[in-house]
Amino acid sequence: MRPEPDRITSVGPEIHLFEPSGYAGVFQHACRLGELLARSGRHVVLHTGHEHEEVRVKGVGLCPCSWWPRDRDAGARRSAAIARRFASRTLPHLHSAVPRGAVLHVEGIAAAGALTLLALGVGRLRDRLVVYSPHDTFSRRGRVDGALLRLALRVPHTIMVYSQADVEVLRRRGLEAHCSPLVQLVPDTSEEERREWRSAWRAGSDTSVVLFAGCIRPEKRLDVLIESARHWPADRRLAVVGEDRGGWAHCAELAKEYGVDVAARVEFLGLEEFAAAISAADLVVLPYDKASQSGVLAVARQLGTPTAAANVGGLRELASQTFEPGDPRDLNRAIDAQLADGESPDPAFDENRAVDVHLLAYRRPA
């Protein structure tokens, strides 16, 4: 069912954002982008997962047209079921719901390479303007999927990325891209919520909490942070919040072997709880091996929480401190330096700039 039109008088063609999963960072980015575009007078619809996070997105129509179950274990059967419904229901719906001449902006990599390629191909029909934001310019699903995603980058009229590092990656492949600040939907957090997290972490006012936040994947190298924690002073605490995506078991064993006490909550957290955890920490660390950009960094910046990130991809563009990837000693240097500095990042985020860049990308090429 198509959402009711926005009450704001529409300026220019309709803008249809498509993020199929309905949860986590890319969805939250699409929500905030939709709000900002609607505020500028555009008619915006966000097509997303049927079990999407409960969010109130002002001025944006939410269309839960993608079957994306969150309560089923990941695996081949779930992926196959998602793919069947994506091809048989979601894509025909998008084709009929997005009018001729509208903008279709495909967000993220929740759909695998083949599905992304299909979504962009369907979007090119009926004289629509198709924009693609890969969010990562690499694939986590192997060589075949990576090749399909690289092919998908050739299909849209224009590409939008969220770090200068990705601009350079695409330029080396012979592709040009627009670069926008990574806007995120970030709720206000209260002092009470922050106290609750500090209490759960058993961290008093004299304890510095170093937090790993987000999906726990092998390439995000939580193990490097655990290795560094072996040498921390007694007044420093390691906390982990996020969903396990194949990296937690090894890290839990490593922490036990090293005698590192980790205050961990390993599950998917709703946006309000997740933001409160980041706000309650003294430092957020991203020890990744590979990244294009990071919604966690963008959220931490907006909340005023300092960050330290591996010097890879676009992470260096937002982090308060950087360190050599895979190097626990250099990570400890960065942690020590940031905690000693005590200065919070400037939370000002250029959302007006993000709107300007997106509207430029939504203009039809000559």
Side-chain angles (χ1 to χ4, degrees):
M1 183 176 68
R2 193 165 172 184
E4 293 183 3
D6 186 7
R7 292 182 181 179
I8 299 173
T9 301
S10 181
V11 178
E14 291 185 15
I15 298 170
H16 291 252
L17 306 175
F18 177 47
E19 191 290 317
S21 74
Y23 69 103
V26 178
F27 171 70
Q28 293 151 14
H29 158 77
C31 288
R32 185 55 179 162
L33 175 61
E35 277 192 332
L36 294 171
L37 291 169
R39 186 186 297 173
S40 73
R42 273 68 185 180
H43 177 97
V44 183
V45 179
L46 172 55
H47 302 266
T48 192
H50 74 296
E51 294 181 357
H52 63 76
E53 290 186 66
E54 292 186 11
V55 292
R56 185 173 182 272
V57 190
K58 296 178 181 178
V60 178
L62 282 176
C63 179
C65 58
S66 174
W67 187 79
W68 209 278
R70 295 169 55 191
D71 59 348
R72 294 193 182 187
D73 292 337
R77 293 183 64 182
R78 176 179 178 271
S79 297
I82 288 173
R84 284 195 302 271
R85 297 203 188 194
F86 190 96
S88 65
R89 299 185 186 184
T90 304
L91 291 184
H93 166 79
L94 281 179
H95 183 58
S96 62
V98 182
R100 182 182 300 275
V103 173
L104 175 62
H105 188 162
V106 177
E107 290 274 359
I109 58 167
L115 301 185
T116 300
L117 192 59
L118 281 172
L120 293 169
V122 168
R124 287 292 299 248
L125 304 174
R126 297 182 64 190
D127 193 36
R128 290 175 285 238
L129 180 69
V130 179
V131 181
Y132 178 36
S133 291
H135 283 266
D136 284 333
T137 50
F138 58 91
S139 172
R140 295 184 175 92
R141 299 178 178 89
R143 292 182 179 180
V144 173
D145 187 73
L148 290 171
L149 282 173
R150 288 191 295 274
L151 181 60
L153 288 164
R154 306 281 173 174
V155 177
H157 294 97
T158 190
I159 302 167
M160 178 71 67
V161 295
Y162 301 99
S163 70
Q164 285 296 330
D166 270 357
V167 171
E168 295 304 318
V169 167
L170 295 179
R171 188 166 290 158
R172 289 194 291 271
R173 298 178 187 173
L175 297 166
E176 294 298 320
H178 296 270
C179 184
S180 167
L182 181 64
V183 297
Q184 293 290 131
L185 189 67
V186 181
D188 294 329
T189 60
S190 68
E191 186 59 38
E192 180 180 356
E193 289 172 317
R194 289 189 286 272
R195 281 197 302 267
E196 287 176 355
W197 271 113
R198 303 278 302 186
S199 176
W201 295 331
R202 304 185 303 281
S205 58
D206 59 345
T207 302
S208 297
V209 175
V210 177
L211 176 67
F212 177 99
C215 293
I216 306 170
R217 301 178 187 274
E219 79 275 7
K220 293 199 172 184
R221 298 306 304 275
L222 174 57
D223 60 310
V224 175
L225 184 54
I226 291 170
E227 174 76 32
S228 78
R230 299 175 69 186
H231 308 288
W232 288 359
D235 62 351
R236 194 173 297 172
R237 185 116 174 93
L238 174 58
V240 173
V241 296
E243 186 178 18
D244 181 24
R245 295 290 183 87
W248 175 243
H250 168 68
C251 291
E253 285 296 320
L254 197 64
K256 183 178 179 180
E257 177 185 343
Y258 291 159
V260 174
D261 185 16
V262 183
R265 186 168 167 189
V266 182
E267 60 181 293
F268 178 80
L269 298 182
L271 178 57
E272 291 188 359
E273 278 194 294
F274 188 75
I278 289 177
S279 182
D282 296 284
L283 180 67
V284 175
V285 173
L286 290 76
Y288 304 172
D289 265 349
K290 197 173 188 179
S292 284
Q293 42 69 31
S294 169
V296 173
L297 280 178
V299 170
R301 178 184 174 92
Q302 192 161 332
L303 291 170
T305 302
T307 54
N311 189 16
V312 296
L315 300 187
R316 65 179 70 90
E317 298 170 29
L318 279 182
S320 309
Q321 294 277 341
T322 60
F323 55 90
E324 287 302 308
D327 188 340
R329 291 186 179 182
D330 199 43
L331 169 54
N332 272 339
R333 174 202 57 77
I335 292 173
D336 291 343
Q338 187 56 49
L339 291 178
D341 180 86
E343 186 175 343
S344 297
D346 181 359
F349 211 72
D350 195 352
E351 293 188 330
N352 291 333
R353 169 67 178 160
V355 171
D356 290 343
V357 174
H358 280 80
L359 293 180
L360 177 64
Y362 294 162
R363 294 178 186 171
R364 289 195 170 275

